[in-house]
Amino acid sequence: MKYLTEYRDPQVARGLVVEIKRTATRRWVLMEVCGGQTHTIVKQGLDELLGDAVEMVHGPGCPVCVTPLEQIDKALAIAARPDVIFTSFGDMLRVPGSDCDLLQVRARGGAVRIVYSPLDALALARKNPDKEVVFFAVGFETTAPANAMAVWRAKELGVTNFSVLVSHVTVPPAMVALLDAPDNRVQAFLAAGHVCTVMGWTEYEPIAAKYRVPIIITGFEPLDILEGMLLAVRQLEAGHHQVENQYARAVRRDGNQPAQDLVSRVFELVDRNWRGIGGIPRSGLGVREEFAAFDAERRFAVDGIRTAEPTVCRAGDVLRGVLKPFDCPAFGTACTPEHPLGAPMVSSEGACAAYYNYGRFRSAV
């Protein structure tokens, strides 16, 4: 298949692995900030191929995983209301809250539905004017334009029974929080290509300069990631610290300006809690006052819900790159895909799910 098999060529992959090993004079610690990249790395065993040249640690790049427990509890409270049709992407339905998940709310009679787009939820609201339709707007900058469009369109059409429960987060502040942490080990980042397709990379440039870390914008196929690793290792060996774009076929420095404009019209930067990391100033998106009528937190008065994270689940340490999933005592025993304790075991982009599904129950290096 054109534009897919080209980025999975095993001969080219072997050449990149050889070049990374030849270039590295020590073991460098790299972090990918994308759950999709994590799954490619683990499924293909890319990190295991590199031996002592590169150690990959997995960052908070899964939007479902970094959604804090309190936000899940807000969703559960809204979804349980008899006047609400609660909509979400499928991977949010099994994320555990304090005492249940959205699937259990549905089993108890709640109108919880899977949709494939926030505009599907808006269409549902137009078909059901006697119900409040809520969409769980979760994600990084990648999904923010579509969610902003749904809110914008709802206002334009005068749909008054539609709202969004917003749990959007942004990548650059999380990178700064990780770099500022006293236990930080990250020496370079592989940045998520789809985020940069929307936002470009200008926000990363001051981070690379201040913290002296290379940031390589990288795609999602095996050769994308191996080339991103090679570019990062070359910079580290040379003492350089710039933003470099491996994903040139999709990403431009300024990103997608119309998408950015729409997001900034509907949303504004707010302080946001991240699962496992805690509060990060101005790291999330919230609904602007102009669109407050479409903010589910205000509409259903759940903005005061606060929930402590459980201590038995070490998901936070996994999301910060401090632990590998198999280092968590609950991994593969008390916590499995069938009975998850935390979101990283549930989400299709979660690091714990990747390690479990591909048999990584111990270190191979």
Side-chain angles (χ1 to χ4, degrees), residues 194-208:
H194 48 11
V195 169
C196 295
T197 300
V198 175
M199 300 305 296
W201 69 76
T202 56
E203 292 178 291
Y204 296 141
E205 291 171 340
I207 299 173

Side-chain angles (χ1 to χ4, degrees), residues 268 286-289 291-293 295-303:
E268 61 184 350
V287 180
R288 287 189 178 276
E289 191 63 35
F291 296 90
D295 185 348
E297 285 200 47
R298 301 190 219 190
R299 180 175 293 194
F300 298 100
V302 295
D303 54 322

Side-chain angles (χ1 to χ4, degrees), residues 138-360:
V138 174
F140 290 102
E141 296 95 329
T142 315
T143 56
N147 294 336
M149 174 58 74
V151 173
W152 181 276
R153 186 67 174 150
K155 184 174 183 179
E156 188 176 53
L157 293 172
V159 180
T160 60
N161 64 323
F162 174 77
S163 60
V164 290
L165 177 62
V166 180
S167 191
H168 273 299
V169 288
T170 58
V171 174
M175 295 169 71
V176 170
L178 291 169
L179 291 168
D180 282 335
D183 55 359
N184 171 62
R185 299 172 56 231
V186 178
Q187 296 166 303
F189 287 100
L190 302 185
H194 48 11
V195 169
C196 295
T197 300
V198 175
M199 300 305 296
W201 69 76
T202 56
E203 292 178 291
Y204 296 141
E205 291 171 340
I207 299 173
K210 177 180 178 180
Y211 293 93
R212 302 181 66 83
V213 292
I215 301 175
I216 313 300
I217 299 159
T218 311
F220 309 94
E221 293 299 324
L223 298 190
D224 288 324
I225 294 169
L226 286 171
E227 186 179 18
M229 292 176 181
L230 176 58
L231 295 173
V233 169
R234 283 176 174 168
Q235 283 204 40
L236 289 165
E237 290 285 341
H240 296 162
H241 41 85
Q242 286 96 34
V243 180
E244 200 166 353
N245 182 22
Q246 181 278 332
Y247 203 37
R249 64 186 184 275
V251 175
R252 300 294 178 267
R253 181 174 183 271
D254 295 328
N256 184 325
Q257 197 62 54
Q260 294 173 37
D261 290 345
L262 178 60
V263 170
S264 65
R265 290 178 186 178
V266 175
F267 299 130
E268 61 184 350
L269 286 173
V270 297
D271 299 344
R272 182 74 70 190
N273 285 328
W274 293 55
R275 185 186 292 256
I277 299 176
I280 303 178
R282 296 175 61 80
S283 65
L285 298 177
V287 180
R288 287 189 178 276
E289 191 63 35
E290 179 185 351
F291 296 90
F294 303 96
D295 185 348
E297 285 200 47
R298 301 190 219 190
R299 180 175 293 194
F300 298 100
V302 295
D303 54 322
I305 291 178
R306 297 290 182 267
T307 311
E309 303 284 344
T311 57
V312 66
C313 177
R314 302 290 298 277
D317 291 330
V318 173
L319 292 168
R320 293 188 298 114
V322 175
L323 291 184
K324 298 291 175 62
F326 50 64
D327 293 322
C328 174
F331 175 75
T333 55
C335 182
T336 66
E338 292 76 23
H339 301 284
L341 293 179
M345 185 62 87
V346 175
S347 172
S348 60
E349 295 188 352
C352 296
Y355 273 61
Y356 189 95
N357 291 336
Y358 301 119
R360 293 279 194 95

Side-chain angles (χ1 to χ4, degrees), residues 64 72 75 79 85-95 102 106 111-118 120-121 124 133-138 165:
V64 174
I72 305 299
I85 299 175
F86 193 89
T87 64
S88 173
F89 297 140
D91 54 358
M92 290 303 302
L93 268 62
R94 293 190 62 242
V95 178
L102 286 166
R106 185 163 70 179
V112 177
R113 302 190 188 180
I114 296 173
V115 294
Y116 298 97
S117 161
D120 292 343
L124 196 62
V133 176
V134 181
F135 177 72
F136 202 178
V138 174
L165 177 62

